[in-house]
Amino acid sequence: MLVRLAAVVVAAAASARPVEGREVVDRRLRDRAPVEDARAVGKWDLADAVDPAPADMLRIVYATEHSDEASETQLPMLAQSAFSAYAVGCAGSPTCRQRLEVTVFHAGFAPGAVDATLMPATFQGLRVSTREVDFAAAVTDKRKVWGYNGRDAFIHKLSHAANYFRFYVPKLMWDEHRAETFLYLDTDTLFLKRGSLPGLFAQRAEPPLIVRAGTQSTKNCVVGHIVPPQNFPEKHLDAKGVCLAASVMLVNVTTWLSQNTTGEIERLLEANAKKKLWNLGSMPPLVVALAGGKWAKLSGIADGKGSSCEKRGGFDWAALVHPFKAICEPPPTPTVCTPLTRHGMSPLGSTRIGAMQSNAFVKLTGAKVVNTGCDVAFGAGPTKPVKGAPVKFLFKGNNQESYREAWKDTITVADNGFVDDYFRAKGQPSIRLQLVEDVRPEEMKQAHVPRPDFFGANQTRKPLLCYHGNHMHVHSVLSFVKHIPTPFDLRLIVPDGYGSPASVIKAADASLGSRKCGAGSQSETCVGLEIKAYSAPKIYEKLVHCDVGLSPSEVYPVHDVATLSAKTAGLFQKDDTQPEDMVKRCKRTANAGRAFIFMQLGVPVVVDACPEPLLFANYNGQPTSVVVYRPHVWADTVQRLLANPGARARLSATEKTFARDFLTTRVQARKLLARTADVLRRREPALSLI
């Protein structure tokens, strides 16, 4: 409670600051310079943000439905309203922007349309949650809208289930967020006063109040026009009383629920469906349910009927105006510099994947690609991203232990936890991504189909085992595959220029000896060896028909556990060592990227217990790979998997589900978006609606 009150005080203090002259503010916004705020200590710090507790969030809720041509304006109005709350309502207060979250319940729009419309605001830092809802199923069907003074043209519009959904939002917000209060807004609302949002929430409806709401001008509405007081004598309605505006409501969730307000409104709706008790649609039952001192005016709300962009200056006294249907200025389009397009087919994995993920970021955000003056810039290798962008990401940064320099204005991509910790230890801002490729051609979308073969004694064909990656682990592969007793074919895919293929062939000859197929060998009883050059565009094609993928990250040991433990004991804290401690040598920059490609295809893969592969070895309680914890049982583990077609089929199915949900460049782009939003949330957004 103390934390929440302190946050409210800080946010309220921001709203009390004197508004700067329009000329100064317009110049700062035009130049994209941050408006200085002494309270925002470290606002340019690129370290991960600390998210507010759920109870401390400033929550705004919208419910919107596409039902006819008139609904086409709903999404532009929604985007303008939500972003005005963020950019204007929270102006001058990074604390407010950090705490604000917008939830949108929607129905009837094209798939992805709501998220795409809100993306520019999301990009700038607004926390957005969207959910498609069947409004008709969510609200009571015992309701009816009657004609009014012989007019019934509005009946269809007022009958939409979405109009009644606001009565069910309090329980949803409590069940999912334990939210004690939220601000319900219609899409045609617009914030106009800088820093006014915390002040609205500070007007919290304390018991016996359930709601604070905007009010309508008595020229447009009085209670007697919509609800004849004689129909509810026990409520003591004032016929000349002010009408509340259900389009702007600050709801006390706990009081709403404790007094069963939704149940009371449903009872009233059912009674009205049987006999006309009021005019119009969803507002009258709310007026009746809240009669008797259960609602009060929410100050700072202007009645804007008939207003336009040119007239919005007339409401400079108000926090927000409703209704306001004109689209004056949508959120600014995101801009990105250098999305690494030239690296699209680089043989260097992290650089190539950086190109894929930065381009996925552009596609996800709908960003405009520019050369200078952008919001986000990308770089690869030793070259820093272009200067001037507030958010800069670097793929393939220098992660050598001897390199101590930190680029504190650049967020470096870390593709494993060890490197991520290394960057943090030296003060280098970083972001944790997975090296996920997205280069599968159309014919690969069906991916691997596990064959029902039993591989072992009396097998009818040889299994195909596959490895792809650098030369470092080829020798480890050859060290254990030689112990697989039954014949098999081995496909090794390694890059050119990182070692000699001849040396790999020599190592294979030494490892497999007479088992390797040669001139005059019976192909069914020998071990076939195929060495292919790595090609990014064709890697999926070369792996899709493999029966089992091999993805070691550990250097294969040449001693047993006890020997390794004894020989390395002097390198560790002596009081904590034991005679048979497990000692592993994992590549410090190892990631699960090689295993990910097998998983994307659905090829059953075997990995070892180095940290990164182990981290992704399970999804939703089902294995995505077979893990080898003791290096010397690699051969036995592979043989057992080959002998179990059912296990291979189950593993393949889980891998494909995991890959669909997690192993896409779009998922990684969402992480880049979240980090971008976190940084931009600390600077003043560019918007002239003030």
Side-chain angles (χ1 to χ4, degrees), residues 451-597:
R451 288 168 284 194
D453 299 72
F454 167 85
F455 297 113
N458 303 316
Q459 61 189 20
T460 57
R461 70 172 181 88
K462 291 191 295 183
L464 175 60
L465 307 182
C466 295
Y467 166 86
H468 72 101
N470 56 43
H471 291 75
M472 177 183 297
H473 298 295
V474 168
H475 301 280
S476 292
V477 169
L478 292 172
S479 295
F480 63 72
V481 295
K482 66 182 180 182
H483 298 297
I484 297 175
T486 54
F488 57 90
D489 289 328
L490 178 63
R491 179 175 294 170
L492 303 175
I493 302 174
V494 292
D496 289 330
Y498 287 86
S500 169
S503 66
V504 175
I505 295 174
K506 182 178 179 180
D509 289 342
S511 176
L512 298 172
S514 61
R515 295 189 63 194
K516 180 184 172 186
C517 294
S521 300
Q522 297 251 344
S523 61
E524 293 81 11
T525 59
C526 61
V527 174
L529 179 64
E530 181 183 17
I531 301 175
K532 290 180 173 286
Y534 188 93
S535 168
K538 295 184 178 180
I539 186 62
Y540 292 93
E541 180 182 338
K542 293 178 179 179
L543 295 175
V544 68
H545 297 302
C546 302
D547 292 296
V548 170
L550 309 175
S551 185
S553 295
E554 180 183 355
V555 179
Y556 198 83
V558 295
H559 293 288
D560 59 27
V561 172
T563 302
L564 284 174
S565 181
K567 287 181 174 293
T568 60
L571 301 177
F572 296 93
Q573 173 64 47
K574 291 182 170 49
D575 293 337
D576 290 342
T577 59
Q578 294 186 17
E580 293 191 351
D581 282 338
M582 179 175 61
V583 180
K584 287 182 175 292
R585 184 163 185 170
C586 297
K587 181 183 173 185
R588 64 184 292 279
T589 58
N591 55 67
R594 290 178 290 114
F596 287 160
I597 289 184

Side-chain angles (χ1 to χ4, degrees), residues 18-35 194 687-688 690:
V19 179
E20 301 184 63
R22 181 175 297 278
E23 180 181 348
V24 175
V25 175
D26 284 348
R27 184 177 71 250
R28 284 178 172 173
L29 293 177
R30 183 173 63 251
D31 297 339
R32 302 303 298 272
V35 176
R194 288 174 52 84
L687 188 65
S688 63
I690 52 177

Side-chain angles (χ1 to χ4, degrees), residues 1-6 56 180:
M1 180 62 74
L2 290 177
V3 173
R4 180 163 61 256
L5 290 175
D56 290 332
E180 297 177 3

Side-chain angles (χ1 to χ4, degrees), residues 182-201:
F182 67 89
L183 181 63
Y184 182 92
L185 297 179
D186 278 0
T187 57
D188 56 345
T189 49
L190 184 69
F191 281 80
L192 292 176
K193 188 173 183 180
R194 288 174 52 84
S196 57
L197 184 64
L200 288 181
F201 276 89

Side-chain angles (χ1 to χ4, degrees), residues 404 406-410 421-430:
R404 310 311 301 173
W407 292 347
K408 296 195 175 182
D409 65 342
T410 301
D421 280 357
Y422 160 74
F423 284 140
R424 288 199 298 132
K426 74 171 188 174
Q428 172 68 58
S430 62

Side-chain angles (χ1 to χ4, degrees), residues 303-376:
D303 188 337
K305 286 184 173 66
S307 54
S308 63
C309 296
E310 293 73 23
K311 295 180 180 179
R312 67 183 187 265
F315 300 107
D316 55 1
W317 59 270
L320 64 85
V321 58
H322 170 271
F324 193 93
K325 299 185 182 296
I327 304 300
C328 301
E329 183 178 347
T333 300
T335 55
V336 171
C337 291
T338 57
L340 306 180
T341 305
R342 67 186 183 278
H343 297 294
M345 282 298 127
S346 168
L348 189 60
S350 55
T351 305
R352 179 178 68 253
I353 293 170
M356 296 176 187
Q357 295 184 358
S358 62
N359 280 282
F361 177 82
V362 170
K363 184 176 181 180
L364 171 69
T365 60
K368 180 181 179 181
V369 178
V370 297
N371 293 322
T372 58
C374 52
D375 297 303
V376 175

